[in-house]
Amino acid sequence: MVFSESPVSLRPSLQPDETLGSWLTRIALANGLSPSEFYPIVLPGGRLYRTDLDRLACDDLVRNLAAYAGAEEAEVAAATFRRWAGLLFEADDGRRKLTWLPWVGTAGGRTSFGQQACPLCLVEDSHPYFRMTWRLGFVTACPRHGILLIDRCPACGEPLQPLFLPPPNGRDRLIGCWKCGADYRRAPKVSVLDPGAVEREGGWRKIAREGWAMLGDYGPQYSLAWFPILWRVYRLLATGRFAFPLRTGVADRNRAMPRPENLPMVKEVERLNPRCRQALLSMADELLRDWPRVFVEACREVGIASRILIKDHADAPFAYRDPVVRHLSQPMRTMGADETKAVTRLLEGEGRIPTLKNLLAVSGVKAGAFADAAPARPVRPYGTHRYWKLDGVSAEVRAAAKAAAHRAGEKVGPWVEQVLRQKLARERRAHHIPK
Ligand SMILES: [Zn+2]
Ligand SMILES: [Zn+2]
């Protein structure tokens, strides 16, 4: 090969847990090339138009990169999704969505935040690089530093994309935002919101390595079945008409849980940022406890019927489908219009809003009976929400804050709180004020 005479320094070695995309970029940069210039050298005739080589690297690319860098082929293959075949997914056709493994960069024309990073790990690396572990959607925290991972540029909100680089600026380009050049190491370091998250996610990473997990009454499960169950429960909490009542139920049951209103409702739940995913995963973990007892109780409380839980889910794992069919298939008691009106009047008389949750709580019947219920979260005009009791803040700053929160994948309330916390922490440090 033409490059066999290259000095060793031009072939940085694959770091522990490094992704193929990160490594390819580091090799390219060491040779004074961009990833797209280097790609056809290591894969003759190839053209780099894909943004997610960790998933899509072909066998030839893996083989040639291994030969080029003098690495074991198996070691390079483990820097791709091949390491999770048979553990997180059965087979990968390179097209469909993989549970817990969103694309890097774009998916279906929309941004996709499949590559996460710990800003403090990047600070400590002598040669910063991206890890495979940071690709797992159920991983939201760094076990070493106990902080939230980032999955988008702290300045412009674009996804992390190791194969796209910012213009040269004298710094390490791999860890600069490809769009605006911001250094990922300077991202805010935000403590985990759930102190149990680090340990829990360590357990989940172990499941992804070893291929099995225990699940309450259903005993040991293959990870291929267990992770889809975690996904279904997470999804139920993240989106759809039962998400909010279900979150409220979990938060009422366990006061340590984050408040349900602090999370944006989005349909593509893999796009949620690490903070939101962590909050929802804490709740999902709660619902998985003592499987299926807690889950069945929670579903009953908010009136979720089995047909909702297993529709479009012909391939649902047995340990999910069985308790759902068995415990949540009772026929619905429906409620006539008169009865609905009476309950609504009762609630209004008490000064409560007739939301679906309140109607269900008062009447004790299942959802579906209340076609006329107010939405779970009554919509109020912009600027009147609780978090906008910020007297004296100009409309201009409010609008800018709203846009910045949107870029960070947050609702305004939690975003404002995080900014204030950072500011207060800086002041404490500057004036040596104890916590
Ligand atoms: Zn870290
Ligand atoms: Zn940026």
Side-chain angles (χ1 to χ4, degrees):
M1 283 187 192
V2 282
F3 39 68
S4 60
E5 298 299 317
S6 303
V8 173
S9 61
L10 297 186
R11 299 178 217 172
S13 52
L14 186 64
Q15 294 298 299
D17 198 37
E18 182 165 18
T19 67
L20 184 128
S22 165
W23 186 43
L24 186 137
T25 297
R26 289 195 307 113
I27 298 174
L29 287 174
N31 287 279
L33 301 169
S34 71
S36 52
E37 288 165 339
F38 176 64
Y39 190 78
I41 296 176
V42 79
L43 190 67
R47 200 171 137 239
L48 182 64
Y49 60 96
R50 296 274 175 71
T51 58
D52 198 342
L53 281 187
D54 305 344
R55 178 168 173 186
L56 297 172
C58 61
D59 291 342
D60 284 348
L61 179 63
V62 169
R63 202 173 304 124
N64 293 355
L65 264 177
Y68 175 60
E72 290 292 324
E73 212 174 299
E75 204 189 329
V76 180
T80 70
F81 280 18
R82 288 164 175 78
R83 76 152 68 173
W84 291 311
L87 294 165
L88 287 177
F89 54 87
E90 246 172 312
D92 181 11
D93 63 6
R95 285 193 296 274
R96 71 192 172 93
K97 276 185 185 178
L98 295 179
T99 311
W100 296 119
L101 290 168
W103 292 100
V104 163
T106 52
R110 300 202 63 183
T111 48
S112 178
F113 304 95
Q115 179 69 66
Q116 310 179 87
C118 167
L120 282 178
C121 283
L122 296 178
V123 168
E124 285 176 9
D125 286 343
S126 47
H127 302 288
Y129 66 94
F130 292 92
R131 276 77 160 165
M132 287 296 283
T133 313
W134 295 342
R135 296 233 35 184
L136 298 165
F138 55 79
V139 172
T140 61
C142 172
R144 224 171 116 74
H145 299 105
I147 60 170
L148 286 175
L149 302 180
I150 57 165
D151 70 345
R152 58 200 77 194
C153 170
C156 75
E158 286 293 324
L160 275 51
Q161 300 203 66
L163 289 168
F164 282 9
L165 299 173
N169 57 4
R171 288 204 306 265
D172 194 326
R173 291 166 71 197
L174 179 63
I175 46 165
C177 169
W178 59 276
K179 185 83 177 274
C180 76
D183 187 331
Y184 297 143
R185 292 173 300 191
R186 299 179 66 99
K189 323 295 185 285
V190 184
S191 295
V192 291
L193 51 155
D194 174 2
V198 167
E199 195 188 333
R200 179 174 67 230
E201 291 176 5
W204 291 347
R205 287 200 307 272
K206 186 162 176 267
I207 295 171
R209 271 197 312 276
E210 298 180 352
W212 69 277
M214 290 302 287
L215 186 65
D217 290 356
Y218 289 80
Q221 301 290 312
Y222 284 116
S223 55
L224 278 176
W226 190 86
F227 280 109
I229 295 177
L230 178 66
W231 174 256
R232 279 161 210 274
V233 176
Y234 165 82
R235 198 163 196 296
L236 207 57
L237 285 158
T239 187
R241 68 187 160 119
F242 292 104
F244 195 73
L246 205 54
R247 288 180 204 168
T248 311
V250 176
D252 287 348
R253 202 182 300 250
N254 183 345
R255 292 278 157 202
M257 288 289 142
R259 294 308 305 165
E261 63 271 17
N262 271 350
L263 303 165
M265 284 274 190
V266 297
K267 202 151 183 290
E268 295 129 324
V269 296
E270 59 279 348
R271 286 167 52 86
L272 287 167
N273 72 19
R275 185 192 76 89
C276 300
R277 265 182 285 125
Q278 184 169 106
L280 291 166
L281 284 166
S282 299
M283 297 183 187
D285 188 46
E286 184 80 7
L287 292 180
L288 281 174
R289 235 169 11 89
D290 203 6
W291 186 262
R293 190 185 57 79
V294 180
F295 178 70
V296 167
E297 265 173 30
C299 289
R300 279 205 183 123
E301 248 168 48
V302 298
I304 308 179
S306 58
R307 64 192 164 75
I308 307 259
L309 294 167
I310 46 180
K311 78 166 174 202
D312 305 330
H313 291 329
D315 56 343
F318 175 77
Y320 175 85
R321 176 190 282 272
D322 184 57
V324 164
V325 171
R326 226 188 302 191
H327 303 294
L328 296 166
S329 294
Q330 295 92 335
M332 264 190 197
R333 176 168 93 78
T334 51
M335 190 186 248
D338 290 347
E339 204 179 343
T340 309
K341 270 189 202 137
V343 179
T344 304
R345 267 200 306 279
L346 176 79
L347 282 167
E348 283 168 351
E350 291 174 359
R352 294 159 73 188
I353 303 165
T355 60
L356 180 61
K357 179 173 180 274
N358 286 342
L359 287 167
L360 290 168
V362 171
S363 65
V365 304
K366 291 194 171 193
F370 299 107
D372 301 329
R377 291 174 306 157
V379 180
R380 277 161 293 179
Y382 174 62
T384 63
H385 290 63
R386 258 174 308 155
Y387 48 73
W388 273 140
K389 297 247 165 87
L390 295 170
D391 290 338
V393 175
S394 69
E396 187 192 341
V397 170
R398 287 181 190 196
K402 195 182 177 202
H406 182 74
R407 278 197 300 277
E410 286 290 359
K411 293 177 82 172
V412 184
W415 184 85
V416 168
E417 175 163 342
Q418 193 194 318
V419 171
L420 291 175
R421 276 181 193 280
Q422 282 159 11
K423 168 89 176 146
L424 291 169
R426 271 199 303 277
E427 301 222 322
R428 268 200 307 273
R429 281 196 300 275
H431 303 293
H432 307 292
I433 303 169
K435 266 194 180 180

